[in-house]
Amino acid sequence: FQQRMVTARYWLNPKGPYKTEGEFWDEEPGAETSSANEVGMGYADASEVPTATLNNGRKIPLIGLGTWKSKPGEIKQATLHALRAGYRHVDCAEYYNNEHEIGEALQTVFSEGVVKREDVFLTSKLWNNHHSKESVRPAVEKILKNLRVSHLDLLLIHWPYTGNVGPTVQPTIRETWQAMEALVSEGLVHSIGVSNFSTKKVADIISYAQVPPSVVQVEIHPYWRQDDLLSFCGERNIHVTAFSPLGSPDSSAMFQRKGPKLMDDPTLVSIASSLNKSPAQCLIRWGLQHGTSILPKSVNEGRIRSNLDVTSWELPRADYEALCSLNFQQRMVTARYWLNPKGPYKTEGEFWDEEPGAETSSANEVGMGYADASEVPTA
């Protein structure tokens, strides 16, 4: 073991004269020891985080910090930890009500001079009450003000739902999409996409879009693989981002969910043990090998760093395929709060555009908190 204990970290700057430990100590490329794991002002090197190229040529880092359900006062420090640990992708949303804290963290980081605005991929999402063409731009302007930036790298429609009651969604998704396209033209947003949309709903957008969706963000993990949607998007050069990659263990009460927990799955636990990795790391690595970008959420500095430590190794093929073959399938984040007997969505099946009989255990509870009675036997 060889490691320099007294490093040059405080004298490094991306503008020079010394950009890396190797340059400072005149070491040949590749000869740096573990003293060079962090560059300048305590920041880890982010060069090993893989990226994907979107259909508009822009790049998205494949591991991002999820910020949903973070308690007030926690996410600023978590964002600081993440950016200093090497994250360059932060997933935000208007509804999370914490973008002002993330903005404070971004301002701190940018002022330190190591990470610049163009280095960080920022996503946010339009909430359900801001779908009208008159509402989209003001909502985005508020998001930008809270984040303290001049543009978003990605803007998503958070849900295909507006709160109206009736046979169809109003304002229409088309109206919302066209308002988002205008923001791309203005430069306020670089890329646009959707979250929690079915394959059918994405296809509808593609049929009229002048700016095609760059990203579809949906729940994906070994207990909810979404292979059909992944194939659909892959064939159309639409990138897929996986939220709740650890199975959303902290949302079971919110969705009154029962059933096994992904993080406790015996196959996963066995694989993690054999590889000397955590179950979370194995799930994040599975997502990368499954072809998606990943949004693990944590406010704990150690877990934030651990969740990023997945780029230098792979799941062996047999382990990856074992996680791809788990029989239990359940959507953890359901549409239960958006269902209404008067429409536009009366059932989970209607919301997700699933064929009758195709619903999985994600639909064990349907509509206004009522359990599915289909399993009660009859004579």
Side-chain angles (χ1 to χ4, degrees):
F1 179 75
Q2 292 289 289
Q3 181 181 42
R4 190 189 305 278
M5 305 303 177
V6 180
T7 71
R9 62 182 298 190
Y10 294 110
W11 319 135
L12 307 183
N13 190 300
K15 297 181 180 179
Y18 306 114
K19 300 176 185 177
T20 67
E21 291 271 349
E23 287 186 3
F24 187 94
W25 300 110
D26 299 308
E27 296 169 337
E28 293 296 321
E32 295 88 342
T33 70
S34 55
S35 68
N37 284 344
E38 298 188 345
V39 297
M41 301 294 291
Y43 284 80
D45 182 6
S47 63
E48 293 185 3
V49 178
T51 62
T53 302
L54 303 179
N55 55 20
N56 58 8
R58 299 186 183 274
K59 293 186 180 297
I60 181 172
L62 293 186
I63 304 172
L65 178 70
T67 61
W68 179 42
K69 292 179 97 282
S70 296
K71 296 177 182 177
E74 290 184 338
I75 197 60
K76 176 181 177 180
Q77 200 60 42
T79 304
L80 289 171
H81 290 323
L83 292 171
R84 289 168 177 162
Y87 287 72
R88 294 296 180 264
H89 177 179
V90 182
D91 182 76
C92 317
E94 181 185 5
Y95 177 70
Y96 301 165
N97 198 31
N98 57 18
E99 290 184 322
H100 61 289
E101 289 188 44
I102 296 169
E104 292 172 2
L106 292 170
Q107 185 178 52
T108 297
V109 166
F110 297 154
S111 70
E112 291 174 346
V114 177
V115 178
K116 301 182 289 295
R117 169 64 187 94
E118 56 266 33
D119 299 328
V120 181
F121 191 97
L122 289 176
T123 299
S124 191
K125 310 176 192 74
L126 281 174
W127 189 238
N128 304 339
N129 59 339
H130 288 146
H131 280 218
S132 71
K133 60 183 179 182
E134 297 84 8
S135 299
V136 170
R137 197 178 200 280
V140 171
E141 288 175 340
K142 182 180 178 182
I143 290 169
L144 294 175
K145 181 179 179 181
N146 283 334
L147 291 175
R148 305 188 186 193
V149 295
S150 60
H151 74 273
L152 288 174
D153 296 279
L154 176 63
L155 177 67
L156 305 175
I157 301 176
H158 205 150
W159 290 90
Y161 174 82
T162 64
N164 76 293
V165 176
T168 60
V169 173
Q170 298 293 333
T172 64
I173 298 300
R174 182 170 189 163
E175 177 178 329
T176 310
W177 190 259
Q178 290 174 341
M180 291 166 61
E181 290 178 326
L183 298 182
V184 175
S185 299
E186 293 182 51
L188 292 180
V189 173
H190 286 172
S191 304
I192 52 179
V194 295
S195 176
N196 297 298
F197 273 53
S198 66
T199 298
K200 180 179 183 300
K201 290 181 175 64
V202 176
D204 288 343
I205 291 176
I206 293 172
S207 71
Y208 55 73
Q210 296 299 308
V211 178
S214 292
V215 175
V216 171
Q217 185 183 125
V218 290
E219 176 185 350
I220 296 181
H221 45 73
Y223 274 4
W224 193 247
R225 289 187 293 272
Q226 302 242 54
D227 291 335
D228 289 345
L229 184 143
L230 273 170
S231 296
F232 173 89
C233 290
E235 292 168 359
R236 291 156 182 82
N237 197 23
I238 300 172
H239 178 75
V240 177
T241 296
F243 71 73
S244 296
L246 310 185
S248 195
D250 60 351
S251 70
S252 57
M254 173 186 293
F255 294 102
Q256 297 183 13
R257 187 174 65 242
K258 298 180 180 179
K261 295 181 180 179
L262 174 58
M263 293 278 279
D264 297 333
D265 183 86
T267 299
L268 171 64
V269 171
S270 175
I271 289 171
S273 177
S274 69
L275 297 176
N276 197 28
K277 304 294 182 182
S278 71
Q281 287 176 313
C282 290
L283 290 172
I284 295 166
R285 185 65 233 181
W286 178 87
L288 293 177
Q289 292 177 222
H290 207 54
T292 68
S293 52
I294 308 292
L295 301 173
K297 190 213 96 174
S298 180
V299 296
N300 176 278
E301 182 179 5
R303 284 194 291 273
I304 286 171
R305 291 180 179 276
S306 174
N307 289 342
L308 196 61
D309 185 18
V310 295
T311 60
S312 62
W313 57 278
E314 289 189 350
L315 291 171
R317 175 169 290 276
D319 292 340
Y320 170 74
E321 291 179 351
L323 293 176
C324 287
S325 305
L326 298 179
N327 290 328
F328 183 78
Q329 291 290 287
Q330 180 183 41
R331 190 189 302 275
M332 306 300 179
V333 179
T334 70
R336 59 176 311 205
Y337 294 108
W338 318 137
L339 307 183
N340 191 302
K342 296 181 180 179
Y345 306 114
K346 300 175 184 177
T347 67
E348 290 272 349
E350 286 186 5
F351 187 94
W352 301 109
D353 298 303
E354 296 168 337
E355 294 296 324
E359 296 86 343
T360 71
S361 54
S362 69
N364 281 346
E365 296 186 349
V366 298
M368 310 292 290
Y370 285 82
D372 182 4
S374 62
E375 295 184 3
V376 178
T378 61

